[in-house]
Amino acid sequence: MGNVTKQASTRFSIVKRSKGQSAVEKASYISRSILVSEFDGQTYRPKYHEDLVHSEISLPPNAPKEYADRATLWNAVELSEKGQKSQLARMLKASLPNDWSYELAEEVVRDYVQRNFVNKGMCADWAIHDSENDKGQRNLHIHVLLTMRPLTENGEWGAKQKKVYELDENGEKIPVIDKKTGQQKVDKRNRKQWKCHTADSTDWNSRENAKMWRKDLAGTINATNEQLGIALHWEHRSFKEQGIDREPTIHIGAVANALERKGIQTERGNINREIIRNNMLLEQAKEMLMLAKQEVHSAQYAKIKSTAVSVKNEVMEMIAKVRERKGRLDLPIVSGKHLRRMSDRTALQSADNAEKFITTRKIDSFESLAKFTADKEQRYQQLEMVHLSKGQKLNRLKELSKMYALYAPIQATYKESQSLKGLAKMKYDKEHKDSLSKYTELKERMQSLLQNGEKITPKQWKAEIQSLQSEYDSIGREQTKTATELAYAEVISYNRKNLERELQNESRQQNRQQVKRVLSETLE
């Protein structure tokens, strides 16, 4: 059976001052941080912050170190642009696989941004978000904000465009001739005029770049998925480029989206509804899959409830309240330390799974949950230290074995050469010239890996590697299990605080409304 194919979702745009846009505002939005613009004096406060997984600034070597500060970087960009129609920054928004862990997503995106943008000289401000729609479906995605002016060697902003002189067949500049006089034109300062045109200082604005960056992202995702054993192929080509008679939905926009949420149909919303109807077969297939999963979850939950203790459990009661209000648990994306290591975050949101976790661990109160968390955290740290230590030993032995595999045949050739004399040695050395020339270097590299007094024992190394690998994998499995338990504990503890906060807000709102009613009745 072949891989399932998913259409890569990427969107490139330009931040334009002519549209009233601000690079500082965009940086505030993607980083979920409060920033002040020195250009327009505005303080930008992002509306949301709960969905921020990670934010970071990546700089080329010639960028000033102070640009590692977000406010400094984007205010410098804003102040370097004088025109009212200036293009301030380039933006990229793209989806990532939802079954990646946050740690993996961070590692992959950092590499992608470095290779495609920073290595070309751009400053990149990037962030990973994990949003959730009304149906509880997660959307792991990235935002990348890029500078458009090149930086000079001394870290100053360079020109976006440069003057390029046109040359004749001899490589000489072509003069601009005055048709009336037949002489070369001069400007007001009596400087000779030459034929020229303007060109971009960099190739960053090339239309082919968007396709290239999109293709690279899809390729990076596919390579990572292959390593993880995920049978999902991301396709960078559009439906039209693939020759598929199917339309992608269009971007509705914030205003239209707000109207649609209120039940008011918009033109762009109607377009999307028509597209969705055309793709109904696919949607029906997805719906059938979701129903199948729900049936499995329901069966699991019934089994859990039938075996659960009947004693009053405040943790179970809290989970039940959240289930009733939302149908699933919320994720502590910002504060989730162990959540970052999890790939199946949807499972962590399942109230069924949370109840099973509490029941099987015999947790009957938030006090016992706190003790469970403290014990598991201590165990995780112990496992992490041992895992790291064994991993270092394992890597060293593997490096020794790998080095010996290169050194052994060269050493054998060298010994054979040393055993010969006269013409036989000369003939042998000539036939094995390349191998013998590597002997000294490989011997030094082999010796540098050996510890004081350590001998070359390849058979012993092989046995130690097998033993260590078994221990390393076993500890890794326990470490993963412990991290998963801690992630569940994080989610449950977060939902307790979140529920208390929501109930308090609702209570205050009800009190305010009651006071208003009393005042209104009194005045009447």
Side-chain angles (χ1 to χ4, degrees):
M1 182 177 176
N3 286 0
V4 178
T5 300
K6 176 182 174 64
Q7 192 68 25
S9 174
T10 57
R11 185 184 178 207
F12 291 92
S13 59
I14 301 295
V15 181
K16 299 178 180 180
R17 188 173 285 162
S18 60
K19 291 186 176 182
Q21 297 172 336
S22 163
V24 175
E25 187 274 330
K26 297 298 182 185
S28 169
Y29 171 79
I30 70 170
S31 66
R32 302 308 198 215
S33 60
I34 299 173
L35 295 178
V36 179
S37 172
E38 296 174 17
F39 180 80
D40 58 21
Q42 296 239 24
T43 298
Y44 294 100
R45 304 175 188 273
K47 187 176 181 181
Y48 306 105
H49 66 275
E50 295 88 353
D51 62 350
L52 178 68
V53 173
H54 179 79
S55 64
E56 184 175 322
I57 291 178
S58 301
L59 301 174
N62 55 326
K65 292 182 180 179
E66 55 267 27
Y67 284 179
D69 175 72
R70 184 167 285 106
T72 302
L73 170 62
W74 295 112
N75 272 304
V77 168
E78 290 275 5
L79 296 175
S80 69
E81 302 292 348
K82 308 301 181 184
Q84 291 301 312
K85 296 184 178 181
S86 295
Q87 295 185 345
L88 305 171
R90 179 176 284 103
M91 283 195 73
L92 161 63
K93 180 182 178 181
S95 294
L96 296 174
N98 284 317
D99 41 10
W100 281 8
S101 71
Y102 293 158
E103 284 187 343
L104 174 64
E106 183 181 324
E107 179 184 345
V108 173
V109 173
R110 182 180 292 111
D111 173 68
Y112 171 77
V113 169
Q114 184 69 39
R115 286 187 292 103
N116 286 277
F117 309 120
V118 180
N119 287 350
K120 290 189 174 183
M122 303 177 216
C123 300
D125 187 356
W126 56 277
I128 302 173
H129 294 177
D130 188 9
S131 60
E132 185 178 18
N133 65 16
D134 294 337
K135 296 180 180 179
Q137 297 167 328
R138 305 218 66 86
N139 176 27
L140 190 66
H141 60 278
I142 59 170
H143 294 272
V144 186
L145 194 61
L146 302 162
T147 52
M148 299 188 71
R149 284 187 180 273
L151 285 164
T152 61
E153 290 184 3
N154 58 6
E156 296 179 354
W157 296 113
K160 291 179 181 176
Q161 292 188 321
K162 59 184 178 181
K163 183 186 290 186
V164 179
Y165 288 102
E166 297 179 17
L167 306 176
D168 59 21
E169 62 274 11
N170 298 318
E172 301 291 336
K173 290 191 291 185
I174 303 173
V176 178
I177 305 299
D178 189 318
K179 291 182 179 179
K180 292 182 179 179
T181 63
Q183 301 295 317
Q184 184 175 4
K185 283 186 178 181
V186 295
D187 61 14
K188 293 180 180 179
R189 297 183 182 180
N190 205 34
R191 294 178 301 188
K192 293 181 178 179
Q193 299 294 289
W194 307 92
K195 286 186 179 182
C196 63
H197 63 272
T198 58
D200 289 338
S201 301
T202 65
D203 64 351
W204 303 347
N205 288 326
S206 170
R207 291 184 178 182
E208 293 301 312
N209 277 338
K211 289 183 179 180
M212 181 182 68
W213 293 330
R214 178 182 170 93
K215 182 178 180 181
D216 187 279
L217 179 61
T220 300
I221 290 173
N222 288 331
T224 305
N225 280 349
E226 187 177 348
Q227 291 178 355
L228 296 173
I230 299 174
L232 180 61
H233 177 79
W234 285 53
E235 177 57 63
H236 71 278
R237 295 171 299 171
S238 66
F239 292 134
K240 184 177 180 180
E241 289 172 325
Q242 295 177 69
I244 298 176
D245 188 17
R246 180 184 169 194
E247 297 176 87
T249 55
I250 62 172
H251 178 69
I252 291 181
V255 176
N257 191 45
L259 293 172
E260 290 283 340
R261 282 176 178 271
K262 293 179 181 179
I264 303 171
Q265 291 193 358
T266 64
E267 181 180 355
R268 298 179 74 82
N270 289 334
I271 294 172
N272 268 351
R273 274 183 283 276
E274 183 61 31
I275 292 171
I276 289 171
R277 276 194 292 272
N278 293 338
N279 299 330
M280 186 58 72
L281 287 176
L282 178 61
E283 294 303 316
Q284 287 175 347
K286 289 181 179 178
E287 191 66 26
M288 289 172 66
L289 180 60
M290 288 179 66
L291 287 172
K293 287 183 177 180
Q294 288 172 3
E295 288 173 3
V296 173
H297 289 164
S298 297
Q300 289 174 341
Y301 180 53
K303 185 178 180 181
I304 294 165
K305 288 192 73 174
S306 66
T307 58
V309 292
S310 59
V311 181
K312 183 177 180 181
N313 187 322
E314 61 178 351
V315 185
M316 295 284 276
E317 289 179 354
M318 183 279 294
I319 295 171
K321 287 179 182 177
V322 176
R323 175 203 287 273
E324 185 178 352
R325 292 166 68 89
K326 301 180 180 180
R328 81 284 180 273
L329 304 183
D330 289 321
L331 290 184
I333 293 175
V334 178
S335 57
K337 174 185 173 183
H338 294 282
L339 174 68
R340 298 184 61 79
R341 302 183 175 96
M342 300 298 108
S343 58
D344 191 357
R345 292 176 294 281
T346 303
L348 291 171
Q349 289 187 278
S350 166
D352 296 349
N353 289 347
E355 289 176 338
K356 181 179 180 181
F357 169 79
I358 293 299
T359 302
T360 55
R361 273 76 178 174
K362 298 180 180 179
I363 296 170
D364 57 7
S365 66
F366 284 107
E367 183 179 354
S368 63
L369 177 63
K371 184 179 185 307
F372 174 88
T373 302
D375 292 343
K376 288 294 179 179
E377 185 66 53
Q378 183 178 10
R379 178 57 180 162
Y380 183 84
Q381 291 176 4
Q382 292 171 348
L383 290 168
E384 194 170 38
M385 290 179 63
V386 176
H387 198 247
L388 178 63
S389 175
K390 289 191 179 296
Q392 290 172 339
K393 291 179 182 177
L394 187 60
N395 287 337
R396 178 179 172 274
L397 287 172
K398 285 182 176 179
E399 192 175 359
L400 276 169
S401 295
K402 187 177 180 180
M403 189 69 244
Y404 180 73
L406 295 174
Y407 173 64
I410 302 296
Q411 183 190 40
T413 302
Y414 176 78
K415 286 183 176 180
E416 180 65 20
S417 171
Q418 294 299 104
S419 68
L420 299 173
K421 295 181 180 179
L423 292 174
K425 178 176 172 57
M426 290 177 62
K427 182 181 179 181
Y428 184 87
D429 288 356
K430 185 177 181 181
E431 291 174 349
H432 300 83
K433 181 180 178 181
D434 290 341
S435 295
L436 291 171
S437 65
K438 298 174 184 176
Y439 174 73
T440 303
E441 179 191 352
L442 289 176
K443 182 181 179 181
E444 290 176 355
R445 287 170 61 186
M446 189 76 240
Q447 293 295 333
S448 68
L449 293 175
L450 296 170
Q451 296 176 346
N452 293 336
E454 186 178 12
K455 296 181 179 179
I456 296 177
T457 54
K459 290 184 179 179
Q460 184 178 332
W461 292 340
K462 184 177 181 180
E464 287 182 33
I465 287 173
Q466 290 177 341
S467 175
L468 270 174
Q469 187 70 60
S470 178
E471 294 175 26
Y472 182 80
D473 293 342
S474 176
I475 294 168
R477 286 191 293 271
E478 185 180 353
Q479 192 178 8
T480 299
K481 179 184 176 183
T482 306
T484 304
E485 291 178 310
L486 285 166
Y488 270 110
E490 284 177 343
V491 171
I492 293 169
S493 298
Y494 172 79
N495 276 269
R496 180 197 185 190
K497 295 178 182 177
N498 203 39
L499 178 62
E500 290 174 350
R501 178 182 58 80
E502 289 178 355
L503 291 174
Q504 288 173 0
N505 289 340
E506 290 171 8
S507 177
R508 282 194 290 267
Q509 182 67 21
Q510 290 173 358
N511 289 337
R512 283 195 291 267
Q513 290 175 352
Q514 187 175 359
V515 169
K516 285 182 180 179
R517 282 198 300 270
V518 171
L519 288 173
S520 177
E521 292 171 359
T522 303
L523 291 173
E524 290 177 357

